[in-house]
């Protein structure tokens, strides 16, 4: 039994204090929650799904054979075996918490009106499959139109019994005034007043000429029969044709169930439009198809979603009637579940989803970005980025909010997509991205700037030359080598002449001097000559001095050679050695 504390927190008995039957039920429901999660990620014929379902049924069959029938009571957050909780939320700190999928089971039953569930020994595979399939479908998301009671009733289970809530009772409120109160005036309901508790609790029963009160049925307006029959004899007269009628009904029901209802939607809509082709009717039909499209995506039924999209484009070619409602419905999708399924899906299913999203267009942007941000598999991320390239090719500014995302990998992927799109608009969007604290994002920015016009990417690249990250610096200089303007040469010279240049790593210094040699002209000779002779009589051998001499040698102009010749006659031994090394390397090459 459960007990409540003064803090209104419920304490449940620990696992070892439960009866053997309850312990078996706890373990089975735990496995059921995990199995449902797995089976929503894979196709029904996947070997993993087949194996899990087989093991789960064997465990249930063995538990029922050992401990007898399970008679379960269901509450919104708990499932009881008689009076022992077998599924419940965690109640104590440090207690092993049920999995999130297991905790959802009670409400899944309770939401659809099931208050009791009985599993009898010898439950056949058919009954277990019906229950499992119903839970997979009903737990697929808020957009499903199926409920557990209907699906289990259609399965016609024999050893699995459910107890559902009765049909809702109907409350009738009289439109006439029923009398006066001493203090409040008239009692009763009128069309212009809101009902209060006293009015709803009016006398039960019929008043001449009207239905009023709380009734157990909705047939009070039917005329009462004036004659009666003997029930037994009436049943006997009907029994002869009952079997034929029952067989006919079941055959018609099976035939109707065997027809894919999606194939009947388009002909039905054609008939409706033939009766009324007004914009109002077309708008209502378009919105209904948009809801069907979104529900199919939530269930990962991408083939069905493609059929819905084709019909939607027929009803609303320009999207004027359905884009707003479609965007709102797409925003309500469970992107976590969709992404999880895509990560575990085969390539064909991923291609269908990405192609479908591109075909939907702007309304699908939010879910497309969510998949890009939440995907854990590289193939899924690559497909999502490609999808966004198509979706945002005309309006790359739609990705601007994701450039300020707190997750570095989301920013990096958004920058990558912008680089694939390219153009002047992208250059303006990438101006702030180089300031991102993560070096991986900054490196991607440099790579993406290759698709931006030179005049717009050059200021962004030059502003990052003071970086100390060797990979980022190499990427920036590699991109700058496409520009032979003096501005690039002077920017590199400023970095070399900076007071803190010697605090850079040797790799950084070599990289900057190597880049300078690629773009240098005679304008750089005075600066390089100054670096060569820096230090005077107390000069020492430095990387900066040697690199300056080699850069002069690689420049190869008459002015550069004159500077090296002058260095060979310097009074400083280290200057002469640096010039000699540079000349020797030239001769060897």
């Amino acid at each position: 039994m459960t007990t409540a504390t003064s803090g209104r927190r419920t304490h449940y008995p620990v696992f070892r204090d439960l009866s053997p039957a309850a312990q078996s039920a706890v373990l089975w429901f735990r496995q059921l929650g995990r199995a449902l999660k797995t089976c929503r990620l894979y196709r029904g014929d996947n070997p993993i799904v087949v194996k899990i379902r087989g093991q789960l049924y064997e465990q249930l069959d063995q538990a029922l054979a050992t401990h007898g029938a399970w008679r379960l009571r269901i509450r919104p957050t708990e499932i009881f075996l008689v009076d022992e909780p077998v599924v419940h939320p965690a109640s104590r700190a440090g207690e092993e918490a049920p999995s999130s999928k297991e905790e959802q089971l009670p409400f899944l039953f309770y939401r659809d009106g099931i208050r009791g569930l009985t599993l009898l020994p010898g439950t056949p595979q058919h009954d277990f499959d019906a229950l499992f399939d119903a839970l997979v479908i009903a737990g697929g998301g808020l957009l499903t139109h199926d409920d557990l009671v209907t699906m289990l009733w259609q399965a016609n289970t024999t050893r699995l019994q459910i107890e559902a809530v009765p049909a809702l009772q109907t409350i009738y409120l009289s439109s006439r005034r029923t009398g006066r109160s001493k203090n409040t005036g008239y009692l009763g309901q009128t069309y212009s007043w809101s009902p209060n508790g006293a009015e709803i609790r009016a006398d039960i029963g019929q008043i001449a000429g009207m239905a009023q009160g709380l009734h157990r049925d909705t047939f009070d307006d039917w005329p009462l029969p004036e004659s009666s029959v003997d029930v037994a004899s009436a049943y006997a007269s009907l029994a002869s044709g009952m079997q034929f009628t029952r067989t006919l009904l079941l055959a018609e029901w099976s035939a109707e169930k065997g027809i894919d209802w999606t194939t009947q939607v388009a002909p039905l809509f054609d008939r409706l439009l033939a009766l009324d082709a007004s914009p109002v009717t077309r708008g209502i039909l378009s919105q209904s198809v948009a809801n069907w499209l979104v529900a199919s995506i939530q269930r990962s039924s991408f083939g069905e979603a493609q059929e819905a999209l084709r019909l939607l484009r027929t009803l609303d070619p320009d999207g004027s009637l359905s884009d707003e409602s479609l965007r709102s419905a797409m925003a309500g999708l469970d992107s976590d579940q969709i992404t999880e399924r895509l990560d575990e899906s085969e390539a064909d299913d991923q291609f269908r989803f990405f192609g479908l999203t591109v075909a939907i267009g702007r309304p699908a942007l939010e879910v497309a970005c969510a998949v890009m941000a939440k995907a854990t598999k590289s193939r899924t991320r690559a497909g999502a980025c490609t999808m966004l390239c198509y979706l945002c090719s005309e309006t790359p500014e739609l990705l601007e909010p994701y450039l300020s995302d707190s997750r570095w990998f989301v920013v990096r992927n958004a920058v990558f997509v912008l680089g694939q799109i390219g153009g002047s608009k992208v250059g303006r969007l990438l101006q702030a991205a180089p300031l991102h604290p993560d070096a991986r994002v900054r490196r991607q920015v440099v790579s993406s700037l290759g698709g931006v016009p030179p005049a717009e990417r050059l200021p962004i690249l030059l502003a990052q030359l003071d970086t100390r990250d060797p990979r980022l610096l190499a990427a920036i200089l590699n991109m700058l080598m496409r520009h032979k303007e003096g501005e690039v040469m002077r920017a590199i010279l400023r970095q070399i002449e900076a007071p803190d240049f010697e605090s850079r790593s040797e790799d950084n210094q070599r990289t900057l001097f190597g880049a300078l040699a690629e773009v240098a002209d005679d304008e750089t000779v005075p600066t390089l000559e100054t670096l060569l002779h820096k230090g005077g009589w107390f000069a020492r051998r430095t990387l900066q001095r040697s690199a300056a001499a080699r850069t002069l040698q690689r420049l190869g102009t008459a002015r550069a050679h004159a500077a090296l010749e002058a260095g060979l006659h310097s009074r400083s031994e280290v200057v002469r050695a640096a010039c000699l090394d540079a000349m020797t390397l030239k001769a060897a090459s």
Side-chain angles (χ1 to χ4, degrees):
M1 298 292 289
T2 62
T3 58
T5 65
S6 58
R8 302 184 66 182
R9 189 183 183 101
T10 304
H11 283 178
Y12 299 95
V14 296
F15 180 80
R16 64 176 178 272
D17 294 336
L18 298 175
S19 66
Q23 291 179 359
S24 297
V26 169
L27 296 176
W28 188 79
F29 276 107
R30 190 169 298 168
Q31 290 298 113
L32 176 62
R34 295 170 182 169
L36 289 172
K37 177 181 178 180
T38 302
C39 293
R40 292 189 187 110
L41 299 178
Y42 299 95
R43 292 179 178 273
D45 56 355
N46 189 287
I48 297 176
V49 174
V50 175
K51 181 179 179 181
I52 289 176
R53 293 180 64 142
Q55 292 175 346
L56 196 61
Y57 172 67
E58 291 176 3
Q59 184 180 351
L60 173 64
D61 188 56
Q62 183 178 358
L64 294 177
T66 303
H67 304 292
W70 287 355
R71 291 178 172 83
L72 305 168
R73 293 188 296 111
I74 298 172
R75 298 177 63 183
T77 59
E78 302 156 317
I79 297 178
F80 291 88
L81 180 62
V82 187
D83 59 351
E84 295 180 285
V86 295
V87 178
H88 59 80
S91 60
R92 285 188 286 266
E95 178 181 335
E96 181 182 359
S99 66
S100 59
K101 296 299 179 183
E102 180 187 348
E103 285 186 336
Q104 293 175 9
L105 288 175
F107 185 72
L108 195 60
F109 285 108
Y110 195 90
R111 178 196 67 186
D112 287 354
I114 297 179
R115 301 295 182 264
L117 183 68
T118 301
L119 297 168
L120 301 175
T123 297
Q125 180 80 44
H126 169 267
D127 288 9
F128 168 78
D129 289 340
L131 175 63
F132 192 89
D133 291 338
L135 288 172
V136 170
I137 296 173
L142 299 176
L143 297 174
T144 180
H145 56 272
D146 299 301
D147 66 272
L148 288 172
V149 175
T150 302
M151 288 185 285
L152 291 175
W153 174 78
Q154 290 179 336
N156 195 25
T157 58
T158 57
R159 307 290 289 176
L160 185 152
Q161 302 170 359
I162 62 172
E163 178 185 343
V165 295
L168 295 179
Q169 297 173 340
T170 304
I171 298 176
Y172 293 94
L173 296 172
S174 174
S175 61
R176 66 179 179 83
R177 296 175 178 175
T178 57
R180 285 184 178 271
S181 169
K182 295 180 180 179
N183 300 321
T184 59
Y186 283 106
L187 294 176
Q189 170 67 9
T190 69
Y191 292 114
S192 60
W193 296 346
S194 298
N196 58 40
E199 292 168 333
I200 295 176
R201 294 182 178 85
D203 293 336
I204 297 178
Q206 288 185 337
I207 297 178
M210 66 179 63
Q212 178 179 331
L214 182 63
H215 294 265
R216 295 186 178 277
D217 56 64
T218 59
F219 309 110
D220 296 73
D221 55 340
W222 288 23
L224 296 176
E226 298 179 356
S227 61
S228 61
V229 298
D230 180 68
V231 175
S233 58
Y235 178 81
S237 63
L238 294 174
S240 58
M242 187 179 301
Q243 184 59 38
F244 172 77
T245 304
R246 180 177 180 274
T247 303
L248 181 62
L249 175 62
L250 290 176
E252 292 176 349
W253 177 74
S254 299
E256 180 181 346
K257 186 178 179 182
I259 299 175
D260 185 3
W261 65 270
T262 62
T263 62
Q264 300 176 324
V265 177
L268 173 62
F269 281 17
D270 289 341
R271 294 180 61 184
L272 291 173
L273 290 174
L275 296 173
D276 182 8
S278 65
V280 174
T281 301
R282 191 174 291 273
I284 294 172
L285 296 179
S286 298
Q287 292 182 15
S288 66
V289 176
N291 292 335
W292 173 27
L293 170 61
V294 174
S296 302
I297 295 175
Q298 182 65 74
R299 298 193 304 271
S300 297
S301 301
F302 301 130
E304 184 178 322
Q306 289 172 343
E307 292 293 331
L309 182 60
R310 278 194 287 270
L311 180 57
L312 184 61
R313 291 292 178 256
T314 303
L315 293 169
D316 185 20
D318 59 355
S320 59
L321 300 175
S322 60
D323 269 5
E324 189 61 35
S325 60
L326 183 58
R327 184 181 297 110
S328 176
M330 292 287 287
L333 286 172
D334 186 349
S335 58
D336 290 335
Q337 186 181 82
I338 293 174
T339 306
E340 195 174 11
R341 286 177 177 171
L342 288 172
D343 276 334
E344 302 300 332
S345 296
E346 300 294 335
D348 290 343
D349 284 340
Q350 292 181 349
F351 295 157
R352 277 193 288 269
F353 170 77
F354 295 138
L356 177 68
T357 308
V358 171
I360 292 174
R362 179 78 175 272
L365 178 64
E366 187 171 342
V367 69
C369 290
V371 171
M372 177 269 289
K374 299 174 182 178
T376 59
K377 301 294 180 64
S378 57
R379 185 177 66 186
T380 311
R381 287 197 300 269
C385 289
T386 304
M387 167 182 60
L388 287 172
C389 290
Y390 285 100
L391 284 175
C392 303
S393 59
E394 300 297 330
T395 52
E397 60 272 11
L398 294 174
L399 291 173
E400 185 173 8
Y402 298 94
L403 296 176
S404 58
D405 196 282
S406 59
R407 296 163 292 182
W408 70 266
F409 53 90
V410 175
V411 182
R412 183 197 61 186
N413 291 342
V415 170
F416 171 80
V417 172
L418 289 173
Q420 298 301 305
I421 296 173
S424 299
K425 294 181 179 179
V426 170
R428 291 193 293 272
L429 293 173
L430 292 180
Q431 287 178 355
L435 303 178
H436 197 277
D438 196 286
R440 290 165 290 191
V441 174
R442 297 197 297 272
R443 288 196 289 268
Q444 183 59 59
V445 170
V446 173
S447 178
S448 296
L449 285 171
V452 175
E456 297 183 14
R457 72 175 176 227
L458 189 59
I460 302 175
L461 292 170
L462 294 178
Q464 298 186 73
L465 271 179
D466 59 348
T467 181
R468 302 300 178 94
D469 182 357
R471 292 177 58 187
L472 178 58
L473 180 62
I476 294 171
L477 291 173
N478 183 58
M479 188 71 67
L480 286 174
M481 290 305 98
R482 303 180 186 182
H483 306 267
K484 299 299 182 180
E485 294 88 348
E487 185 178 358
V488 175
M489 177 188 67
R490 288 187 287 273
I492 297 176
L493 272 178
R494 284 195 295 271
Q495 294 298 323
I496 293 175
E497 292 177 310
D500 62 345
F501 180 75
E502 292 186 357
S503 66
R504 287 177 177 265
S505 66
E506 291 187 359
D507 287 340
N508 267 353
Q509 294 183 37
R510 289 193 182 94
T511 301
L512 284 168
F513 272 109
L516 180 62
E518 296 292 331
V519 296
D521 57 23
D522 280 346
E523 184 181 343
T524 64
V525 172
T527 301
L528 292 173
E529 194 170 8
T530 300
L531 294 174
L532 179 63
H533 293 277
K534 186 178 180 181
W537 286 95
F538 302 99
R540 56 187 176 84
R541 184 180 293 272
T542 62
L543 173 64
Q544 189 176 11
R545 191 184 315 281
S546 299
R550 292 176 183 177
T551 304
L552 286 169
Q553 179 270 321
R554 290 180 62 185
L555 183 56
T557 65
R559 191 173 179 182
H561 281 300
L564 285 175
E565 290 289 342
L568 288 173
H569 297 87
S570 173
R571 296 180 180 181
S572 173
E573 181 180 353
V574 294
V575 174
R576 294 195 304 271
C579 293
L580 183 60
D581 288 343
M583 300 294 287
T584 303
L585 288 175
K586 178 182 179 182
S589 60

